[in-house]
Amino acid sequence: MEDIAGDAGVSLAEVEAALDLLERLGLLAPSTTAPGGYSAIDPEAALSRLFATEERQVALHQQQLARTRESIHAIMSGFIRLRAEERGVVEIETLRSGSQVNAFIDDAVSMVQSHESTMHPGGIPPVEVMDDMLLRDQEVIGRGIEVRTLYARHVAEVPHMADYLAEITRLGMDVRISAHLPLRMLIFDEGLALLPIDPQDSSRGAFAIRGTELVRSLQTFFDFCWHDAAPLDRGRPGAAVDVPFTAQEHLIVRMLAAGVKDETIARQLGVSARTLSRTISGLLDTLGVQTRFQAALKIAEMGILDHPTTG
């Protein structure tokens, strides 16, 4: 080592540190037969061993992480249940961004114990996320969780959404279709729910609500919408219902009958105010009336609103 230090122009301590590093990296191995006390190792072989060691460490870390995650879920699921039962206290957490909402949903889904109820009035997920949605649904159903989900008819008519709904139905999820749903809602067990801050604009975030008494009321509201909806088989596009409107027109009729303003209807459907105005004019022509009041009377007479689905 003294010769190396002199030739390299460094201190003996630096030479010792360098030899220790090369030995840790597997590029040198102690040897009693080599003049310098070390044998050089082929770099390719050393790197292979180094990567193998790192892979083993990563695998061990992942196993430890999985055990930690299971422990946290076990603790948190019991904690949430106890907190919700605590003297009827209601807690509301504000989630201001889409990433916060998504993270909250992922955690809630992973900790749900018995049942889940979801309501989706609009907002069509892109094709690219369908596989991830199916994997999550499959994992939940595989755990024996009872899942009921409501979708607006115009969402279910999109081809890739129709395929998705058919697949989750095959997996065991209970799916129903409704001509109109008031807002997005997710309910997990008896004590946790998620509602949008602005029902007309989900990008503004959501309220996470914890509290058995309030969530029970939200569940009753969901059940009301559920009983008014149609099972997926009868709610699919092309089902024969004797009314003269398309699915979108039927939705407009329902919202008009409920007193929803034109600008709100246009925003729900994702159309311009001018397009909506033309559609409503066409509905009046189809009904053979001149005013919305006359249209309301005619619709009631025909019993159109009694049909949960349209053709």
Side-chain angles (χ1 to χ4, degrees), residues 120-124 151-158 177-179 247-248 251 268-269:
H120 305 277
I124 300 171
Y151 273 89
R153 162 165 280 278
H154 71 278
V155 175
E157 289 179 331
V158 176
I177 305 300
S178 179
Q248 186 183 68
L251 178 57
Q268 285 271 6
L269 297 177

Side-chain angles (χ1 to χ4, degrees), residues 260-279:
V260 181
K261 295 180 179 180
D262 285 5
E263 55 266 27
T264 301
I265 297 175
R267 188 163 53 245
Q268 285 271 6
L269 297 177
V271 301
S272 66
R274 179 176 298 179
T275 298
L276 177 64
S277 179
R278 286 198 300 267
T279 303

Side-chain angles (χ1 to χ4, degrees), residues 136-241:
R136 184 169 66 182
D137 294 334
Q138 188 174 24
E139 189 273 334
V140 171
I141 295 171
R143 284 160 42 204
I145 306 301
E146 177 190 351
V147 183
R148 295 187 298 165
T149 185
L150 279 167
Y151 273 89
R153 162 165 280 278
H154 71 278
V155 175
E157 289 179 331
V158 176
H160 73 266
M161 285 302 299
D163 293 340
Y164 164 74
L165 295 178
E167 179 62 18
I168 61 176
T169 300
R170 187 191 65 79
L171 291 173
M173 191 177 295
D174 202 351
V175 181
R176 291 193 179 186
I177 305 300
S178 179
H180 176 62
L181 295 171
L183 78 169
R184 191 183 189 207
M185 178 190 299
L186 292 87
I187 301 175
F188 307 95
D189 295 326
E190 288 83 16
L192 181 61
L194 194 72
L195 295 178
I197 293 176
D198 182 352
Q200 308 301 329
D201 184 4
S202 59
S203 66
R204 294 187 59 187
F207 293 119
I209 301 170
R210 296 180 177 89
T212 303
E213 295 181 357
L214 179 54
V215 173
R216 188 182 299 124
S217 296
L218 294 173
Q219 185 69 64
T220 300
F221 174 65
F222 175 90
D223 291 342
F224 176 82
C225 296
W226 178 261
H227 291 307
D228 192 46
L232 179 62
D233 286 341
R234 290 193 289 112
R236 285 180 183 169
V241 179

